[in-house]
Structures are given as structure tokens and as C-alpha cells.
Amino acid sequence: MLRDRGPRKIAPTAHWLAGKAAELDGRTADAERHYERAVSVDPSWDEALEALARFASDRGEAVRAIGLLDRVEGAYREPLYDLLQMFLPVNRPDLGRNDRCWCGSGRKYKACHLGKAEHPLEQRAGWLYQKAGSFAQGIEWRPLLISLAQIRSSHDDDPFALYHALDDPLVADVVMFECGAFARFVAERGVLLPADELLLAQQWLLAERSVHEVEAVRPGEGVTLRDVRTGDRLEVTEGTASRQLRAGDFFCARVVPAGSTMQIFGGIEPIEPGQRGRLIELLDSESTDPEDLVEFLSARFAPPRLVTPDGHPMVACRAVFEVSDTAGIRRRLSRRFGAADADRWTWTEQGSVLGVLNLARNTDPWVLEVEAMNEPRFESLVDAVGAADPGARLREQTRTPAAELMAQAQENVRSTHPVDPEDPAIATALYEHIRGYEQQWLDDSIPALGDHTPRECAADPTRRDDLIRLLDSFPQEERPGAMSVRRLREALGL
């Protein structure tokens, strides 16, 4: 109605709106026709010129795409403009427009390769990925993009974190593949792609995100990978990451064919040994939401979370009660927690200390101090005190997160008289302390080992490599007050 009944100056807007509607409806040919009409009425209609440049880029027509963008003020600053510069065709001054094309197709040069990229497919793979990425920035994918970017940036206090996350490689790749934008791109824009790029795009639809182990590295050239889920070995061309990866590293990525090579698009997410099992479960499950995947892979940005063995956040909790019925409270606490040691009760279960209660007799009235390292345990102790002496009065209570305690401890270590580790008495104390800690570590559940103990992993051939990699990541030099990797290896038979 706008086009047919409105004044002529409305026609470009009408055609552009019709083009956008056709794009959203998947009618690519109709959309391009409307954009062409908008430009024919108003040659400076920027939005239509930019849309036509994307269509030309999809076809591999770098010269036409750049020509259209050159008509838009400031378009040379756009990433697409720089990308197109890399795929300008090599001029063939020896051929006229109506001469037979150099490629042997039998067609005229102007209808075949004039103004089109002549680069091998492995070089154009990045261009193909960018074409799909531009499509996935469309308005219908915007809510998904923002939702995943919010998850990705949730651990970052930077006020611009969400803005940066909108360009995060993982976020864009999940929108394209797990959310279906790439499949839509192939279905709707595949008619524009060069034939070899369309075939490549269809192959990418079959490539799954997976967990890969780095077996060998050729810095600046590529890496040899083993797909942990399938066992396949892949030779991957990768310039930047190959300078940072090392043999034995694990990461999550989508490895795809690209002409005669294998390449990685969508970022590389490092994976700790203890995360691999859960991540493989997420990737294998058909019911995994894209949000769950991004949340799992973004957890590495979260600040360290100190927890007690039962999984609750570590919080130093302390309460002081004034008690009146000292004889009764002694009897009831001993019945609940076992016999006291000099009016001190220790709550233990399966060899672990869960809390401490201490009755102080040098005050009037007497006070009972209660301590625990997480809030559920602390609440249990407070309830136990109330049951043992209903008349007990809470005098004070503190709950301090472990991270805050650690920060305070680091401030307090700045002693004006530093400890001399060469002092024989101090050296002996350090040695005895660290040997005891090493023995405890051998039988502790280690998150990096999938919550298995080092001894269990040493005895299990399927987990021994994870243990060796963990030990290799420790400082190898012998230092006073630090665990000795040599002694740990000896104790584990490694």
C-alpha cells in the first residue's frame, strides 16, 4: 500500500520493509529484488545497499560487495569490508569480458569468474563462517544471542562485559549450531553460495562439538588432536592457538573440514580433567539446552569457590551463648556429641570434624562457644545448644566467607621479622608439617581428578594419565614448606 499509494519518496522505505519481511520469511530471491528496487529509486538508501552487499558476499562476489559498501558512508570501518579485501580476485588483463573464462567452464569471463573469488576453499572457509555469523546476527536470533551473552558474562564485573560477550566466539557459534541459525542459513541462503561452499556448509552441519586431547603441536602451523568421544585423530591447521597449546591439553571445540584441511571455528574452550566426564555427558545428551552448555563452559571464569567436603560453601561460623544450666548442658551435649575433653565437644562423622563446642568457665555467666565451617552444620549446632539449654542466650554471632578469611590472612603474613627457613627448628617444623599434608593429600578427593583420590587414580590405568598431568602442573623444584612432587610420585609408585 505504501509503495502503490504513497508519494515517490516513500518507495525506497516501502521496498526495504518488504525486503526485510521477505528475509524473515526465508524468501531470499524476493528480498533481494525488493532491495534492488529500493536502490533503483534512491541510489543512496544505505540499509538496502548494505543488505545487497551481504547478498553479494554470500555469492562470493567480493568486488560487487565492496562497490556497494563504498556507497555507504563509513562502511569501510565494518569488519566485513576488511574481510572482503582479502578475497578480491586477481585481475586478468589478458581476458576481455566476453572472452571464454580461464577456468575452462566454456562460459564468458563476465558470467563466470569476473569479480569473483578465485581462492582455494580452505582459505574461503573463514569467509563462509563469517557469512553465517552475519546471518545469525539477525533480529530473530537477537534474543538468543543476548541470553547466551548474559550467561557468558555473568562472572565478569566489567560494566561492558555483556557488550563484549555479544562478540564472544563461543556465544556466536552456539547460536549458529546448537540453536539452529546455521541450518537456517544453509536452507535460506544456500542458493546464493558457490557450489563448493554450499557442500562445505552441509558438511559442517554434521560436525559435532567435542572434547579433544592435544597429542602433538607444530607451533604456528597446527596440532594433532584425538577426539575423546570418538577416538578419531585429526590433523588441524591452526596458527594462533598452536603457539599456546601443549601436548596433553584438553579443550572443547568444533573441528570442521575446510577443503584439504581441518580447521577450528567458534573458539577453543580449555577443559580441566575433572570436567571432562560431565562435559561429555552434556554433549552426548540430546536434551542439553544451549544455555546449559554455555553456562558449563563459562564456569571457568567464576571466582574460586571454597566448599566443604559435603559441597556447601565454606563459611567460618562462630556463636557465643551465655548458659545457665551447666550441669544439664554438659550431660546433654555429651549424649549428642560424645564425651567432652576438658569441656570441649567435637562433632565428628566418618572421621571428619564437622564442628566444635567449647564451654568456657572463666566467665560469669559461663559461655559456650560454637564453631563450624559451613552454615548448615552451624545451624545444627545452634539447634543442639537450644535443645541442651533452652535458657541459653545468644550473645554474638559471626559468619565470614572463607575467601574473606584468606584475604585477611594474606594481609597478616606481611611480618616485620620474616621467618628464616634455614633455621633448623623452623626447617624441621616445616618438614613435619608438609609431610603430614602430603600423606593427607594422597587420600583426599581431588576435583581435578573427578573427585577421586590420587591413590585411586594411580591404581586405575584409565585415570593414571590425569594424575600424571596434575603432578606435572605442580612446581617441580624442592622448596621448604611446599609439597614435594618427587615424594608424591614415589608414594604413588609413579
Side-chain angles (χ1 to χ4, degrees):
M1 184 180 66
L2 285 172
R3 183 192 64 218
D4 296 339
R5 301 184 182 181
R8 178 178 172 80
K9 65 180 180 180
I10 289 179
T13 309
H15 281 297
W16 179 78
L17 285 170
K20 292 300 291 184
E23 268 200 88
L24 291 172
D25 202 31
R27 294 180 286 111
T28 301
D30 288 345
E32 189 172 23
R33 185 170 60 254
H34 280 296
Y35 294 143
E36 292 281 11
R37 289 177 179 173
V39 171
S40 68
V41 178
D42 182 356
S44 63
W45 187 251
D46 289 353
E47 289 83 356
L49 289 168
E50 290 171 351
L52 289 172
R54 286 189 287 106
F55 280 87
S57 174
D58 288 351
R59 285 196 175 90
E61 299 172 352
V63 172
R64 172 169 163 74
I66 288 177
L68 290 164
L69 291 176
D70 280 339
R71 294 160 61 182
V72 178
E73 185 177 357
Y76 65 89
R77 302 188 188 95
E78 297 298 320
L80 175 61
Y81 194 90
D82 289 337
L83 181 69
L84 290 168
Q85 297 290 334
M86 299 167 55
F87 295 100
L88 289 173
V90 177
N91 291 328
R92 293 295 302 267
D94 56 316
L95 290 178
R97 291 173 54 86
N98 293 316
D99 290 340
R100 297 293 181 187
C101 187
W102 57 267
C103 72
S105 65
R107 302 169 67 198
K108 292 182 179 180
Y109 181 41
K110 67 181 181 183
C112 191
H113 267 88
L114 179 62
K116 297 181 181 178
E118 303 167 12
H119 301 78
L121 187 57
E122 52 263 30
Q123 292 182 20
R124 285 183 281 127
W127 190 4
L128 172 62
Y129 190 83
Q130 192 278 338
K131 296 172 187 180
S134 177
F135 178 85
Q137 294 280 337
I139 190 170
E140 59 185 311
W141 305 103
R142 198 72 49 78
L144 279 171
L145 187 67
I146 293 173
S147 175
L148 295 180
Q150 287 173 330
I151 295 171
R152 186 66 165 171
S153 60
S154 60
H155 302 300
D156 193 338
D157 294 331
D158 186 332
F160 297 101
L162 176 60
Y163 174 78
H164 296 311
L166 291 170
D167 288 327
D168 184 272
L170 175 68
V171 170
D173 197 71
V174 169
V175 170
M176 281 199 280
F177 289 91
E178 277 78 6
C179 295
F182 192 85
R184 282 278 300 279
F185 167 76
V186 174
E188 296 179 9
R189 307 292 277 264
V191 295
L192 303 176
L193 297 175
D196 56 351
E197 290 186 22
L198 175 58
L199 179 60
L200 184 61
Q202 292 166 339
Q203 292 175 323
W204 286 4
L205 286 173
L206 303 176
E208 295 184 345
R209 193 182 308 278
S210 193
V211 178
H212 302 275
E213 179 184 9
V214 179
E215 292 193 333
V217 178
R218 301 175 299 283
E221 298 179 8
V223 291
T224 301
L225 304 178
R226 179 180 68 88
D227 188 325
V228 175
R229 297 168 71 199
T230 66
D232 294 339
R233 280 177 168 76
L234 307 169
E235 297 294 335
V236 178
T237 300
E238 172 48 66
T240 304
S242 62
R243 293 187 173 91
Q244 302 167 358
L245 294 170
R246 61 180 184 176
D249 286 347
F250 286 82
F251 63 80
C252 178
R254 187 185 306 279
V255 180
V256 296
S260 60
T261 68
M262 301 293 291
Q263 296 181 25
I264 296 174
F265 296 104
I268 292 176
E269 296 291 310
I271 301 298
E272 295 297 330
Q275 297 177 306
R276 292 204 302 269
R278 175 60 182 147
L279 177 56
I280 289 173
E281 289 178 7
L282 286 173
L283 296 174
D284 285 343
S285 174
E286 295 182 358
S287 61
T288 298
D289 289 329
E291 291 86 354
D292 294 336
L293 179 62
V294 173
E295 183 176 9
F296 183 90
L297 292 173
S298 302
R300 63 190 175 96
F301 300 119
R305 184 171 178 261
L306 300 174
V307 297
T308 52
D310 49 4
H312 294 287
M314 193 176 289
V315 180
C317 302
R318 181 176 181 271
V320 178
F321 291 89
E322 293 180 0
V323 295
S324 53
D325 183 9
T326 54
I329 200 170
R330 279 196 178 104
R331 185 174 61 256
R332 296 183 187 102
L333 290 180
S334 294
R335 191 180 303 135
R336 170 69 175 83
F337 299 109
D341 179 11
D343 282 342
R344 181 183 178 88
W345 292 266
T346 303
W347 176 20
T348 60
E349 288 184 6
Q350 299 179 346
S352 297
V353 176
L354 305 186
V356 174
L357 304 96
N358 184 61
L359 186 61
R361 294 179 288 178
N362 57 350
T363 62
D364 185 22
W366 288 12
V367 298
L368 181 68
E369 299 172 343
V370 177
E371 295 181 353
M373 281 308 293
N374 73 35
E375 292 182 291
R377 295 178 192 168
F378 180 63
E379 298 294 349
S380 296
L381 289 177
V382 170
D383 291 343
V385 172
D389 183 1
R393 186 177 72 85
L394 179 64
R395 178 192 290 178
E396 61 181 82
Q397 178 183 173
T398 59
R399 304 186 188 209
T400 310
E404 186 177 327
L405 284 178
M406 292 177 65
Q408 293 172 1
Q410 289 176 350
E411 287 296 321
N412 294 335
V413 229
R414 300 174 182 173
S415 172
T416 53
H417 302 286
V419 173
D420 180 8
E422 301 299 326
D423 183 293
I426 293 174
T428 301
L430 283 173
Y431 177 79
E432 292 176 354
H433 171 76
I434 205 63
R435 286 304 299 267
Y437 183 80
E438 288 173 359
Q439 292 303 310
Q440 177 184 338
W441 184 85
L442 295 172
D443 295 299
D444 274 349
S445 296
I446 308 297
L449 299 175
D451 289 329
H452 295 279
T453 71
R455 289 193 200 276
E456 290 171 343
C457 292
D460 184 346
T462 66
R463 302 185 186 279
R464 193 174 296 128
D465 287 347
D466 292 343
L467 174 60
I468 291 171
R469 274 189 286 271
L470 179 62
L471 291 172
D472 287 344
S473 71
F474 291 173
Q476 302 298 304
E477 67 274 13
E478 301 276 336
R479 295 179 299 168
M483 287 200 302
S484 165
V485 176
R486 174 185 56 79
R487 289 196 298 263
L488 294 174
R489 286 198 177 101
E490 290 174 355
L492 294 166
L494 300 174

